[in-house]
Amino acid sequence: MSLETVISELFTLIIMALALGMDAFSVGLGMGLIRLRMKQIFYIGVTIGVFHIVMPLVGMLIGRLLSGTFGTIATLLGGGLLILLGAQMIFASFSKEEKPLITPVGMGLIVFALSVSLDSFSVGLSLGIYGAKTILTVAIFGIISMILTWIGLLIGKRVQSWIGSYSEALGGSILFAFGIKLLFFF
């Protein structure tokens, strides 16, 4: 394998990782609009990075065995989860209760990470069919999505202080819109 081929493959994987990580950035931007401590932001980014390693890895393994029919199902599930999270945040912003139903902690963090990493499962399916380098692929996907999540969360945290009580409704709207995009425009 020539150096040019290796560089070309690496560049392609980085572009794919950036594309997959942009949903984590967008959703992180929305989630950053609720009050989060820096420790929570760190754990959210790491968790999403891990999910962006595990999901394409599972997808690649299955993709080597099966056809790409599960890609659409994964996208639909991810969109549905984001719509539910977004709607919950919007409704929570108008309720009298201080604590939202789903927060990016514990099981809520798992649901959040799963919702933004399901598309990487479908990409993993197709990459598995084409025989991409597994370790390199999942490492790039995980690192880039983790960094983009942190950037989104930190920007959201900064913006949250500017827009005050409307920030959770805005964050929910971003998640909801991104879920709609996944469901209807994939």
Side-chain angles (χ1 to χ4, degrees):
M1 186 180 285
S2 71
L3 181 61
E4 183 177 302
T5 306
V6 170
I7 291 172
S8 174
E9 187 173 334
L10 186 61
F11 181 73
T12 301
L13 288 174
I14 290 171
I15 295 299
M16 288 178 76
L18 285 169
L20 287 173
M22 288 312 291
D23 67 339
F25 170 79
S26 300
V27 174
L29 187 63
M31 277 299 215
L33 292 173
I34 63 174
R35 295 192 187 278
L36 296 172
R37 295 184 321 268
M38 291 303 287
K39 185 176 178 181
Q40 288 175 298
I41 289 173
F42 174 78
Y43 286 125
I44 291 168
V46 169
T47 303
I48 288 175
V50 168
F51 269 76
H52 270 83
I53 289 172
V54 171
M55 294 302 285
L57 179 61
V58 170
M60 290 175 85
L61 296 174
I62 292 173
R64 291 192 173 130
L65 301 172
L66 304 172
S67 68
T69 57
F70 291 113
T72 301
I73 294 169
T75 302
L76 293 173
L77 286 173
L81 285 171
L82 287 175
I83 287 172
L84 287 174
L85 285 169
Q88 182 274 321
M89 282 178 68
I90 292 168
F91 291 125
S93 72
F94 294 113
S95 75
K96 301 284 186 215
E97 293 181 28
E98 191 68 28
K99 187 172 168 72
L101 180 65
I102 298 177
T103 58
V105 177
M107 192 54 148
L109 177 56
I110 301 298
V111 170
F112 176 56
L114 182 64
S115 69
V116 297
S117 65
L118 280 174
D119 60 340
S120 64
F121 171 80
S122 58
V123 169
L125 278 172
S126 60
L127 289 173
I129 291 168
Y130 294 116
K133 291 176 180 48
T134 305
I135 301 296
L136 179 65
T137 300
V138 298
I140 290 172
F141 284 9
I143 291 168
I144 289 180
S145 67
M146 180 176 59
I147 291 169
L148 288 174
T149 301
W150 284 336
I151 292 169
L153 287 165
L154 291 171
I155 291 172
K157 182 177 177 69
R158 174 69 55 119
V159 170
Q160 189 272 337
S161 64
W162 294 341
I163 58 179
S165 63
Y166 297 105
S167 63
E168 190 171 6
L170 178 60
S173 300
I174 291 170
L175 297 182
F176 191 86
F178 195 73
I180 298 263
K181 178 190 167 286
L182 281 179
L183 285 179
F184 297 109
F185 300 106
F186 63 95

